[in-house]
Amino acid sequence: MTPVPLIEYRDIARRFTTRRGTVTACEHVDLTVNEGEFLAIVGPSGCGKSTLLNMAAGLLQPSAGGVFYRGEKVPEPNTRVGYMTQRDTLLPWRSVEDNVAIALELRGQDRPTRLRTAHEWLHRVGLKGFENAYPAQLSGGMRRRVSMARTLAYEPETILMDEPFGALDAQLRLVMHDELLKLWAATRTTMVFVTHDLTEAITLADRVAVFSARPGRIRAIETVDLPRPRDVFRIRFDPRFGELHDRLWGYLEESVREGVMV
Amino acid sequence: MTMSPTEAIEAPRIGHDVLASARAEWFKVLAWRVGITVVGLALWETASGRLIKPFWISAPSAIWAQLYAWVESGDLWMHMRITLTETVAGFVLGAVSGIAFGLALGLNKRLAAVLDPFIIAFYSLPKIALAPLFILWFGVGLASKIVLATFVVFFLVFYNTYAGTLAVEQELVDVLRLMGATRWQIVRKVILPSVLLWIFTGMKISVPYALIGAVVGEMMASNKGLGYLIQASAGQYDTSGVFAALFVLMIIATGLHEILKQSERVMLRWKEDST
Ligand SMILES: Nc1ncnc2c1ncn2[C@@H]1O[C@H](COP(=O)(O)OP(=O)(O)OP(=O)(O)O)[C@@H](O)[C@H]1O
Ligand SMILES: [Mg+2]
């Protein structure tokens, strides 16, 4: 099966001009995300990972080059993608269930049906019993999980996730990895997953892209040829995992070091 | 798993203790408030006639007597009703038009840009200074006071509503845009709920100003209302009358504020911390 390109970054750059001068978040990025693939992006803080996702969502335009979705310029906004942003964007005046159900509500689904879906998702992310709580009453990690449920519940064609599990403890993170992979195996939704954590990237993804420090460029892209279904609790002890981890860590280390030197 | 007997007994009692201590705290606060009031009134009563002439500060007992007399004659109720009518009518008209105009401008950047200098000009105008003009236009009856109160409230509510629309978090709007929301859905589900908090703030701070508008209008030209009562009492050097009318005004302002606070609590339930 030949891969079908879904999101394409063609030699893009993005600069931000503020009063203190111009920052180049990323430049000369050429990257293709194929349909049905799980791509992870790792790189040091500030190298433009979130910026890349914002461009795929059509919330931000590149300063140079072009971003394409299914061969066409990304629309503003790109309603084909579900985007779980790095920052919390739950609506504080809505209960947890109504937050999760919002996309279905926008589509005009009736309340009992959409709440049933919302409850199913809340159950999956381990938040049964918090349906009627308000976001302010939840912990940071719980809010992240509600955000994830909200993004997955309406089954967008492509999902962008920006450090979704950063606020979770190591054990819960593994549980979420397991859930996410099960889900992904069932739907094969295209995923672009940004993280700081190399282990997380290898555990989940088909390919891992390592970025250099700012201005972010792609340093290496490696295919993760670990068989699926993967046992998220044990896969890190697989010798092939270790080999890949060492190699990717080499790239990432260079990126991090040059980031510190700048 | 069955609960051990100690747990079964302990669990509810902890909740009860917390509640009981909260209530004890509340009683302490209440006791202090009552104490301060009693001591303050006692000092006032003692000072009056001994340290300071009653002509200047009257005395709680005299004020009470005056209030009682007004209640007996029916005067108090009549004046109060006039002032309340003006205040509430001005408040409602001002708030409704302020919210509508604030939203219209917040949702229409071009209109906002065009009207900006006019708004600043009117906003910086001390609204009370318009009272003579309104009395000239609308006469000495209720209408001129209602217009004045409306005007004052309008600007406060308008300004807060408009600021609220500018403060809506773009990220929340973007989330819904990505989900394919229409413009109207974004207004209803993101903009209005986040502006509501600002609208309430604007309404809460404008309650005393609605009252100011009504009372100032009455003081300038009228023969009814609490403002008139203050003016008339002062004209006869009747300090007790002035204080009595002020006391009634205070009660009204506090009552209106409390009503708004309660409705805010119901509308903005999501903001409440859990107990
Ligand atoms: N709206 C903006 N205005 C100005 N500068 C910005 C803006 N957004 C991003 N930047 C700059 O662009 C660079 C990349 O930002 P970005 O958020 O994409 O980094 P990131 O890789 O996601 O980092 P992190 O891992 O810490 O989330 C940063 O140096 C940041 O200062
Ligand atoms: Mg980021």
Side-chain angles (χ1 to χ4, degrees):
Chain A
M1 203 175 73
T2 50
V4 180
L6 190 67
I7 307 171
E8 290 169 87
Y9 296 91
R10 295 196 197 142
D11 194 22
I12 58 111
R14 174 69 211 200
R15 284 176 280 277
F16 291 101
T17 308
T18 56
R19 259 177 292 146
R20 268 176 286 130
T22 300
V23 176
T24 304
C26 56
E27 62 183 1
H28 300 306
V29 176
D30 268 300
L31 179 66
T32 302
V33 185
N34 293 314
E35 187 159 11
E37 125 173 279
F38 199 130
L39 177 82
I41 296 176
V42 289
S45 180
C47 75
K49 303 182 298 294
S50 301
T51 304
L52 281 180
L53 292 193
N54 285 336
M55 287 192 269
L59 299 176
L60 198 70
Q61 269 48 59
S63 313
V67 187
F68 297 84
Y69 192 89
R70 281 199 191 286
E72 285 172 32
K73 235 179 152 32
V74 168
E76 308 169 29
N78 186 357
T79 52
R80 303 265 196 88
V81 304
Y83 187 7
M84 180 177 167
T85 51
Q86 188 166 13
R87 259 188 39 144
D88 235 343
T89 53
L90 296 174
L91 303 178
W93 50 83
R94 280 179 168 245
S95 64
V96 164
E97 58 181 12
D98 283 325
N99 260 292
V100 174
I102 183 150
L104 304 172
E105 182 178 329
L106 295 174
R107 288 180 185 173
Q109 218 175 69
D110 63 276
R111 195 172 156 81
T113 316
R114 64 178 193 250
L115 285 189
R116 207 172 317 123
T117 312
H119 291 173
E120 243 169 62
W121 281 100
L122 284 170
H123 187 80
R124 267 188 216 154
V125 298
L127 287 177
K128 206 175 168 167
F130 288 92
E131 292 84 355
N132 293 312
Y134 285 99
Q137 298 164 333
L138 303 183
S139 73
M142 288 160 95
R143 283 201 293 272
R144 294 306 280 163
R145 285 183 277 157
V146 177
S147 295
M148 178 155 134
R150 178 181 70 177
T151 310
L152 297 171
Y154 74 106
E155 298 174 359
E157 187 179 70
T158 301
I159 291 177
L160 314 173
M161 289 190 165
D162 200 345
E163 290 183 38
F165 305 136
L168 305 187
D169 62 74
Q171 293 77 10
L172 185 55
R173 205 187 261 230
L174 287 178
V175 174
M176 297 307 290
H177 289 166
D178 193 39
E179 275 298 329
L180 187 61
L181 280 188
K182 271 191 210 139
L183 248 148
W184 182 76
T187 58
R188 290 278 164 170
T189 309
T190 312
M191 289 266 187
V192 185
F193 189 101
V194 166
T195 173
H196 277 139
D197 180 352
L198 199 50
T199 307
E200 178 171 81
I202 302 171
T203 305
L204 298 173
D206 294 321
R207 288 194 302 154
V208 178
V210 180
F211 273 72
S212 69
R214 197 180 59 236
R217 299 162 186 241
I218 296 176
R219 169 149 274 153
I221 300 184
E222 291 274 341
T223 302
V224 182
D225 48 6
L226 298 165
R228 295 185 188 269
R230 296 175 186 167
D231 178 354
V232 298
F233 299 97
R234 306 223 54 89
I235 194 163
R236 62 182 66 191
F237 307 116
D238 189 307
R240 278 172 299 175
F241 185 102
E243 217 174 275
L244 195 58
H245 189 279
D246 285 349
R247 201 159 57 233
L248 286 168
W249 180 250
Y251 301 126
L252 194 58
E253 193 184 354
E254 284 173 41
S255 297
V256 172
R257 280 185 194 281
E258 74 190 11
V260 174
M261 310 257 278
V262 166
Chain B
M1 206 184 87
T2 51
M3 223 184 237
S4 69
T6 40
E7 272 172 357
I9 299 164
E10 285 296 327
R13 202 194 281 161
I14 292 164
H16 186 78
D17 279 354
V18 172
L19 256 163
S21 81
R23 191 172 308 156
E25 177 61 29
W26 188 79
F27 270 116
K28 255 181 233 159
V29 170
L30 188 69
W32 270 100
R33 287 174 181 168
V34 172
I36 289 171
T37 313
V38 169
V39 170
L41 287 176
L43 284 177
W44 188 355
E45 188 73 50
T46 326
S48 173
R50 275 178 261 273
L51 296 173
I52 309 170
K53 274 195 187 163
F55 175 78
W56 301 115
I57 61 166
S58 183
S61 57
I63 296 167
W64 185 252
Q66 176 68 76
L67 276 175
Y68 192 79
W70 282 344
V71 171
E72 284 258 277
S73 67
D75 280 354
L76 182 71
W77 178 233
M78 188 270 287
H79 291 297
M80 223 171 102
R81 216 181 51 210
I82 298 285
T83 303
L84 258 180
T85 309
E86 292 160 357
T87 305
V88 171
F91 178 78
V92 170
L93 290 173
V96 169
S97 54
I99 292 168
F101 202 59
L103 286 176
L105 249 62
L107 297 177
N108 191 336
K109 299 278 177 272
R110 166 92 44 80
L111 188 64
V114 170
L115 295 183
D116 188 64
F118 302 105
I119 290 160
I120 300 287
F122 272 102
Y123 189 75
S124 33
L125 192 71
K127 261 67 70 182
I128 296 299
L130 293 168
L133 192 63
F134 288 153
I135 290 167
L136 202 71
W137 285 349
F138 302 103
V140 294
L142 287 190
S144 56
K145 286 87 188 175
I146 293 177
V147 173
L148 186 61
T150 303
F151 212 71
V152 175
V153 171
F154 169 81
F155 271 96
L156 287 170
V157 174
F158 156 74
Y159 207 74
N160 268 278
T161 307
Y162 181 59
T165 62
L166 298 184
V168 173
E169 276 187 72
Q170 185 56 37
E171 280 167 324
L172 298 188
V173 174
D174 284 341
V175 167
L176 259 77
R177 286 208 305 151
L178 283 174
M179 289 171 177
T182 61
R183 171 108 180 107
W184 174 235
Q185 283 178 321
I186 290 172
V187 169
R188 254 189 27 223
K189 295 181 198 299
V190 182
I191 297 179
L192 288 183
S194 43
V195 176
L196 202 57
L197 188 68
W198 293 73
I199 291 178
F200 265 110
T201 309
M203 298 209 314
K204 258 193 331 204
I205 57 177
S206 59
V207 166
Y209 287 95
L211 205 54
I212 290 174
V215 171
V216 167
E218 288 168 356
M219 286 169 74
M220 285 193 185
S222 79
N223 49 17
K224 290 192 192 72
L226 293 168
Y228 160 77
L229 212 51
I230 292 174
Q231 185 73 3
S233 305
Q236 296 159 19
Y237 304 107
D238 173 11
T239 331
S240 306
V242 174
F243 275 115
L246 286 174
F247 179 73
V248 176
L249 275 178
M250 203 167 75
I251 301 284
I252 291 177
T254 314
L256 290 177
H257 185 89
E258 200 56 34
I259 290 172
L260 222 63
K261 215 169 87 182
Q262 292 306 324
S263 57
E264 183 182 22
R265 257 188 50 175
V266 175
M267 301 276 283
L268 303 178
R269 220 168 358 156
W270 55 272
K271 277 204 71 206
E272 228 168 282
D273 300 323
S274 47
T275 42

